[in-house]
Structures are given as C-alpha cells and as structure tokens.
Amino acid sequence: MNGLGMLYIDEKIYDDAEYFFRMAQQTGSKVLGEEHPDILNSINGLGLVYTAKSDFSRAESYLNDNALNTIRYQLGEDNPTTLTCMHSLGWLKYNEGNAANAARDEENAKEDYDSAEEYLTKALSGRQNLLGYDHP
C-alpha cells in the first residue's frame, strides 16, 4: 500500500495517497506493531502528503524530531528508513520556509531554511556513507 501511496504522490493525487498510507498504517500496525519499518514508512508518507498539500501543521504531526528519534532508536542512525525520514523532515522545513518567505516573514523563513539545510545535509551524508558517493 505504501507503494501506491508514493505513486499517487508522484501523480499529485494526494487524497488517494493519503488513503493508501493511512490504510497501510492502520492495517499494518495491527499485525506488525507501531514501530515496524513499514509502519514508520507509512507515517513518513502521510507527512509527505500533508507537506505536498501545504498543510504544514498536520505534516509536522507526522514528521517531527520525536518521530525521527523513534526511528533512530528503532533502526539506527544510518538505516535507509531513518535517512528517508530525515530527508522528509528537511523537505517539510524547506516548504515551510518557502511559505514564510512568500508571507514576507524573513525571520521564520531563515529559521526554516536553516533547519531544512541541516536535515537534508545529514540525510545526504548518511546516504553517501551507506551507498557510496557514486550511487545515483
């Protein structure tokens, strides 16, 4: 179901993406438990959906430091799921910065862009360490 969620994000059909991520989270949690990597990917997907919809407060309820710390604790700092969550959190902060910038709120825009850079840089570094610098 997570794969369909990602497909619908790519196609910009966000309501369908949300449905499949939510179904994957709800049904998978019963069988696999809340902290299984597939469930963590579903939660990350929901955060991406809300980021794409510019519903930043809702996105932050899925993509936040607490969620990232849970993933780090469960899977480790250099696990691909951890790095994906870190990247998603950076993407959220980047989009929040864009919104603040559009509203001419330069102070919050700078803070969001700085956070985005930190998360995205850590995610890139982790992926390069994991996959090598030549990986596409």
Side-chain angles (χ1 to χ4, degrees), residues 78 83 123-136:
D78 292 328
L83 298 172
L124 175 62
S125 176
R127 286 182 178 164
Q128 288 174 329
N129 289 338
L130 186 66
L131 302 171
Y133 288 88
D134 295 333
H135 191 274

Side-chain angles (χ1 to χ4, degrees), residues 43-45 47-48 51 56-69 71-72 81-97 111-123 127:
I43 292 168
N44 183 69
L48 291 173
T51 299
F56 301 129
S57 62
R58 205 160 177 198
E60 280 194 37
S61 70
Y62 293 96
L63 301 173
N64 58 52
D65 285 323
N66 290 335
L68 181 58
N69 288 334
I71 291 169
R72 276 186 184 132
T81 299
T82 304
L83 298 172
T84 296
C85 182
M86 198 177 299
H87 180 268
S88 297
L89 189 51
W91 183 243
L92 168 62
K93 291 298 181 184
Y94 173 78
N95 281 280
E96 286 179 322
E111 185 178 308
D112 289 332
Y113 287 142
D114 288 347
S115 290
E117 181 178 21
E118 180 182 339
Y119 287 119
L120 293 170
T121 300
K122 285 181 182 177
R127 286 182 178 164

Side-chain angles (χ1 to χ4, degrees), residues 1 5 14 36 49 66 74 77 88 92 95 98 106 118 132 136:
M1 283 190 245
Y14 301 124
H36 188 276
V49 168
N66 290 335
Q74 289 292 21
E77 184 73 28
S88 297
L92 168 62
N95 281 280
N98 285 346
E106 293 176 18
E118 180 182 339

